[in-house]
Structures are given as C-alpha cells and as structure tokens.
Amino acid sequence: MAQRQIGGHFPLNITSFIESNSSSLAERYRLGDSQVCELFGSHPSNERAWVDRAAWLDANANKRANLKQIADVVRKYHRGLPGGKETENSLAKLEREDCLVVVGGQQAGLFGGALLIFYKALSVIQAARDAERRLSRPVVPLFWIAGEDHDFDEANHVNVQVASGEVRRVRIERPDGPRLAVTRTPVSEEQWATALQELAEQLPDTEFKPRLLDRLQSHVADAPSLSLAFARLLADWFGDMGLVLMDADDPDLRALEGPMFRELMLRNDDLAAALKTGESHVSEMGFKLQAETTPGSANLFLHHEQGRLLLHKDKGSFTDRRGNVSYTCGEMIELSATRPDLLSTNALTRPLMQDFVLPVLAAVLGPSEIAYWGILGPAFKEFGMSMPILLPRQSFTYIEPAIVKLLSKYSLTVEEAIVDWESRRAEWLGKQDEWRLEERFRDVKERFRELYAPLMDTVSKVQPGMAGLAESNRDKILEQIAYLETRSTDAIAKRHEASLRQWDRIRQSLSPLDKPQERLYGTVHFWNRYGPDWLKLWSDVPFDEKGGHRLVEGMPG
C-alpha cells in the first residue's frame, strides 16, 4: 500500500483494488473507453470538459429554475438540520449567480444506512472542492435525498456486526396502508424508540457508544420521517465540509418544478422515443440494459391516497395500471401548475428534473446509475439539455487494524481475502495436517477400489444379478471411509478452532456475507467501533476523479 502521512497524526495507507467486472458499461466508462464515453458526451479526466460544461451552464441559465429561489428552498430546509460555518458558506455560495453544483443522490437509510451512502456524500464534497479549484468559481456540494421514492424497505434498515461477529439488521417496519413516498411515510415515536433500543442492544459496548446513541436520539426525538432523520445525520457528519442537503419530495421544491413537469407531459411521446433511441445505442454496444423502459410508461408518478402511482399513457390519457386515476393531458398540465406536489419523477426523468432545478456541473453516480444514465443522452438532447459530467462514486474497503495483523499472520493479501477466501482457508487448514490425512485417505480409497474390482468381477460371474449388490456394497464401504475422513478433518479443525475463528473474522470484516463491505455494513458500525474521528479520516483520502475501488488502512491518532 502507498503510505501517506495525514496531519502528523497517523499514516494512511491507500491502494487500488482491481475490479473483476472490467467489461461492464460503468467500468469501461470509468476507465475512459472512448466508445462508451460517446454515450455521455464527456469524461471527468478531460480538463476541457469541465470548462465547456461550466460555459454551457452559464449560457443556458435562463432555461433553468431561478437559482435564488432554489437557494431559498434549500436554506429553509436546512433550518431543520444541524448547522455550521461551512454549511452556511455553501448556502451563501448557492445564492450567487455564478455558482455551480456537484450533486449526488440516494434514498435515505436508517441511522445513515450503508457505507456506500457515506462514500457517495464524501465523493460529492471532494469533487466540488476539486471543481472549484479547476474553475476558480464557487462550486457547492449538494446531496439530493430521494425522499419521493416509495420503496420503504430499501430505506428502513441498517446492518451492524454484534460482539460475536455475526451480522444483524436493525429495521423499522413500514406502517400498514398504501406505499407512500418515504418522506411522506410517518414513523412514530414508539418505532423510533424501539429501533434505537435494538441498535443499542446489537452494537458492541465501546467508549463511543453512549455519545453515538445520544446523538441519534437527538435526531429522532420529534418522530421525523426516515428522510429527515437521515438528513440530520448527514448534516452532522458533513456539515463542517460544507455539504448541502435537499429532499426531492420537499413541497417548496416541487412548487418550482412545475414548468419542467409541464414539458415532460406535453412531450411525453418524444421522451419515450428518445429513451428508446438511447436503449438502442447501449444495446448496439453489446451491453445489457440496466433499466429498460416499459412500453406506454409516462416515466412519471402521481402521489395519491392509494400510494405513489406509476403513470402510463393510454389513448392520450395518463392513468395507472389499476385504474385508480385517469387524467387528460390538459388536466395533468393543470396539476403541474396548481398541485406540483402531487407529481414525481422516476429514475429516468429525475436526471432531467435535476438539470432543470440546478446548475449541475457534475453528478456523482454509482455503477448501476452510470449504466442506466447510458440511455439518457438522446433525452437530454430532446429537451435542449446537455448531460453533466458524470463522476464514478469512490468506493472503499476499510481494513481494520486487527484485520491488518491477521492478514499478516496468515500471509494473506486483502485481494485474496476478498475473492479467494474459501480456497486459501482450506489450503491453510490442509497445511496443519501433520498426518497427511487427505493423502492417506485418498491412497486407501484407491487401493480399496483396486482390491475390490476383481471380487466384483468374480461375483458377477457367479450370478449376474449380484453385480448391482457388489457395486452397492463397494459404495457403502467408500461412504464409510469418507465419513471417517470427514470426522478426522473435523478433529483437525477443532484443534485449530481459535485460528479458524480468526479466518472468519477476516471474512466478516472485508466481505461480510460474501458482499462488499460498503454495501452491507452501516457507517454507524464503524462510528461505534472507532469514534467520530474515524468519520473525519475519510476527508484525508485523496480525491480520484475516476472513482474506482480503493483499500484504506489507518486509524485516528
């Protein structure tokens, strides 16, 4: 690992991790494949792309929502969040006419959700700092919370590791009734109290745990939605880095989105055709579509008493599949003017709305997001827009100090521990067999087959019907030999039980439940283990505009 000294306190070791899926659309874009980059129009490694995008945004400012009004909405939203000097500086920048933004979005996560959300917010902040340096003008990091999404089960949980090493999930159950947007789904005081109590029981006791729980309690004392509690926590974590937060389901924001909703309705058929063209471009390159459009879909939602309803086009009307609602185009346009809070974008129209609302210099996206943005080029063009620079989200695996020691003890690299743990563990255990049991049992089974074969031949000649009995008898004997081998191997494993638990600990830290660390564990898991200084550690990781997966080793001083 490359070693970097941070602030004179501790060394931070960072190295790249080579991804196995190098042929995916997202990875080929990340690496700057010229053919794939044509889908997006630019690449962050091209210095000129940043200058050109900023110039385009300046020239088309009159086609977007009023930035001063957007800034007022964001400032109002922040009144319900923890504040700080850097946040205030960012809000002040957002009110300037020459301000640009770097955005990244994600659905909320209980108690901060998975580590990848933390890393995406970090990527947004670092990219904004980098862009501000490049362009010598204000660039604000803005995290867009997808509170309009209605998949409550994606937002309602967090995973932590208990003292025994097992992974446990803490969750809040969705209330009975229609599937409303997450921001509109009530969470009771009792539900919050229960979730906090369960988290307290599952988290191992550390010196940092009491303060962590107190801080979480302060965010949920008034029984907020999952989205608002999540925003408060992110403001806590990143406020001193200037991160600005926005909820996509904020009614004040919706009030400014009406004109774009109107365009999406009036030109809905053109939108569908553009998306199909984009799908063709991606398919012709040999990639599987990440988010294939549904024939007849309007790519818009309606918030209704029956839940968040996906709208479709049917003989010129906008309706849902179950027939709960049916609006003419004129009625939908009226809604966009009078009740825009009832409307909502989907994954394919949200990027267009985002570009209408904000001067988006660059968007930070995960691999799946990059894959479905691949079809959006024609849609941006259809609506007179230009796709922002797309920045692959930075991805990390954190190597805990105890794990570093275990890797050294068993002569393992991190890569081997993540992708080849099973075979390396078996290989190590085999080396502990001083009796060479595997070799001996293999020899016994081979010699038995040799000795038994002539006997099988003889009995089959005595009576042909006994051939099957002889085979069955042979297999039973081999089965008993295999049983003895298994018991003997288990006995060796028992002798090395403590070491095998250490192997399991390596696996549970780096690749828990055979999943990437950042996708399983919540940030709160490491916050509890290493304290708030662990959160600050990440601000010292150098920014990489191409993203990619890196291994990070280091501890707060």
Side-chain angles (χ1 to χ4, degrees):
M1 285 189 173
Q3 190 173 88
R4 171 176 169 154
Q5 190 72 24
I6 304 297
H9 294 300
F10 58 94
L12 193 62
N13 297 323
I14 306 168
T15 192
S16 295
F17 182 86
I18 305 302
E19 300 291 344
S20 58
N21 192 17
S22 59
S23 62
S24 70
L25 188 152
E27 186 64 6
R28 282 179 59 182
Y29 170 74
R30 189 184 76 79
L31 296 174
D33 183 301
S34 59
Q35 183 184 20
V36 172
C37 288
E38 289 179 5
L39 294 171
F40 306 98
S42 63
H43 190 267
S45 63
N46 182 355
E47 188 72 29
R48 187 68 201 176
W50 296 86
V51 176
D52 290 346
R53 175 62 179 172
W56 190 93
L57 289 169
D58 290 341
N60 291 273
N62 62 335
K63 298 179 182 178
R64 294 191 299 273
N66 183 283
L67 184 57
K68 179 62 170 66
Q69 292 178 324
I70 295 294
D72 289 342
V73 168
V74 175
R75 185 176 286 278
K76 179 181 177 182
Y77 182 70
H78 267 264
R79 289 176 191 149
L81 310 179
K85 181 180 178 181
E86 290 305 316
T87 299
E88 182 58 38
N89 288 341
S90 290
L91 291 171
K93 287 180 184 178
L94 196 60
E95 294 169 344
R96 291 176 50 172
E97 291 184 359
D98 62 340
C99 179
L100 304 175
V101 300
V102 172
V103 302
Q106 196 82 24
Q107 192 169 16
L110 179 64
F111 301 134
L115 276 166
L116 66 88
I117 301 176
F118 182 90
Y119 297 150
K120 180 177 277 190
L122 175 71
S123 298
V124 170
I125 293 166
Q126 292 187 326
R129 288 176 179 172
D130 184 72
E132 195 166 80
R133 176 191 57 78
R134 289 174 187 261
L135 301 174
S136 299
R137 61 186 291 183
V139 181
V140 169
L142 190 146
F143 195 92
W144 185 304
I145 301 167
E148 62 191 357
D149 286 354
H150 59 276
D151 193 344
F152 194 80
D153 289 338
E154 281 192 7
N156 71 342
H157 62 271
V158 66
N159 296 310
V160 298
Q161 189 182 63
V162 298
S164 63
E166 298 174 352
V167 177
R168 297 286 172 79
R169 173 165 290 189
V170 178
R171 62 184 293 139
I172 289 178
E173 296 298 334
R174 185 181 69 84
D176 293 334
R179 293 184 175 274
L180 305 175
V182 172
T183 294
R184 305 183 187 203
T185 301
V187 180
S188 68
E189 290 185 16
E190 182 181 2
Q191 284 178 299
W192 279 118
T194 300
L196 268 174
Q197 179 61 36
E198 186 178 355
L199 182 68
E201 292 172 356
Q202 302 294 0
L203 286 175
D205 290 333
T206 69
E207 61 181 295
F208 309 110
K209 182 177 175 179
R211 186 176 177 185
L212 177 156
L213 294 173
D214 286 345
R215 197 60 187 157
L216 293 178
Q217 171 61 40
S218 73
H219 293 324
V220 304
D222 57 345
S225 67
L226 274 174
S227 296
L228 182 53
F230 173 74
R232 288 170 176 171
L233 188 53
L234 258 63
D236 239 1
W237 286 345
F238 295 109
D240 60 356
M241 299 184 198
L243 184 67
V244 168
L245 296 152
M246 174 189 289
D247 187 341
D249 200 45
D250 185 338
D252 293 322
L253 177 63
R254 282 279 185 262
L256 300 177
E257 293 178 343
M260 188 61 195
F261 276 121
R262 182 177 185 275
E263 289 298 306
L264 291 170
M265 293 162 190
L266 283 174
R267 302 165 61 188
N268 203 263
D269 291 340
D270 296 333
L271 169 65
L275 292 174
K276 279 299 179 186
T277 299
E279 288 181 342
S280 297
H281 292 165
V282 171
S283 297
E284 287 167 4
M285 289 185 180
F287 296 111
K288 184 178 179 180
L289 296 175
Q290 179 70 27
E292 189 169 2
T293 58
T294 303
S297 174
N299 294 291
L300 294 169
F301 284 91
L302 180 79
H303 295 288
H304 187 266
E305 62 183 13
Q306 294 299 317
R308 185 173 178 246
L309 308 178
L310 180 61
L311 297 177
H312 297 266
K313 294 289 291 295
D314 183 20
K315 298 177 182 179
S317 294
F318 291 81
T319 182
D320 73 297
R321 288 298 193 199
R322 295 185 178 181
N324 290 298
V325 297
S326 181
Y327 291 92
T328 66
C329 186
E331 289 171 333
M332 289 293 291
I333 291 172
E334 178 68 17
L335 277 182
S336 73
T338 60
R339 291 297 308 277
D341 59 300
L342 296 181
L343 303 173
S344 172
T345 54
N346 75 347
L348 298 177
T349 50
R350 186 180 296 146
L352 300 174
M353 182 64 77
Q354 181 174 271
D355 249 46
F356 170 75
V357 169
L358 296 163
V360 182
L361 176 67
V364 174
L365 305 177
S368 296
E369 292 171 307
I370 291 175
Y372 75 70
W373 272 63
I375 75 170
L376 294 181
F380 271 88
K381 185 176 180 180
E382 178 65 37
F383 285 85
M385 296 176 169
S386 174
M387 193 177 292
I389 298 169
L390 303 188
L391 290 164
R393 172 182 66 79
Q394 297 181 100
S395 175
F396 303 101
T397 294
Y398 178 67
I399 310 167
E400 302 177 74
I403 300 303
V404 173
K405 295 178 182 178
L406 291 178
L407 290 170
S408 176
K409 177 179 179 179
Y410 296 109
S411 301
L412 270 177
T413 66
V414 179
E415 290 85 351
E416 289 170 339
I418 291 176
V419 304
D420 200 26
W421 179 86
E422 291 279 1
S423 61
R424 291 305 303 270
R425 179 182 182 274
E427 180 184 339
W428 176 86
L429 185 58
K431 290 178 179 178
Q432 312 314 306
D433 177 12
E434 59 187 273
W435 304 274
R436 296 180 291 120
L437 288 178
E438 182 180 1
E439 179 183 334
R440 291 192 175 195
F441 274 99
R442 183 173 60 247
D443 182 55
V444 166
K445 285 184 282 190
E446 289 176 355
R447 290 169 63 187
F448 169 72
R449 287 190 181 95
E450 292 174 1
L451 288 170
Y452 198 78
L455 181 60
M456 289 179 62
D457 184 57
T458 300
V459 297
S460 64
K461 291 176 180 178
V462 171
Q463 183 175 336
M466 294 181 65
L469 177 62
E471 288 183 9
S472 175
N473 186 53
R474 177 202 62 191
D475 292 343
K476 286 181 179 180
I477 294 172
L478 287 172
E479 183 180 319
Q480 288 298 311
I481 295 173
Y483 173 74
L484 181 61
E485 180 180 9
T486 299
R487 290 295 302 269
S488 301
T489 302
D490 288 345
I492 292 177
K494 189 73 173 177
R495 290 166 63 102
H496 298 280
E497 191 171 7
S499 292
L500 291 176
R501 281 200 300 267
Q502 292 178 338
W503 277 86
D504 292 340
R505 185 177 177 187
I506 293 171
R507 176 62 163 255
Q508 285 297 78
S509 177
L510 300 179
S511 188
L513 304 185
D514 204 26
K515 295 180 180 180
Q517 182 193 78
E518 63 180 23
R519 290 190 172 275
L520 191 84
Y521 286 134
T523 304
V524 70
H525 162 77
F526 290 101
W527 181 16
N528 177 68
R529 182 164 290 183
Y530 302 111
D533 285 347
W534 184 87
L535 304 174
K536 298 176 182 178
L537 174 152
W538 295 95
S539 65
D540 294 321
V541 174
F543 173 64
D544 187 341
E545 64 194 14
K546 292 185 179 181
H549 192 154
R550 284 179 285 172
L551 310 174
V552 176
E553 173 195 337
M555 274 295 294

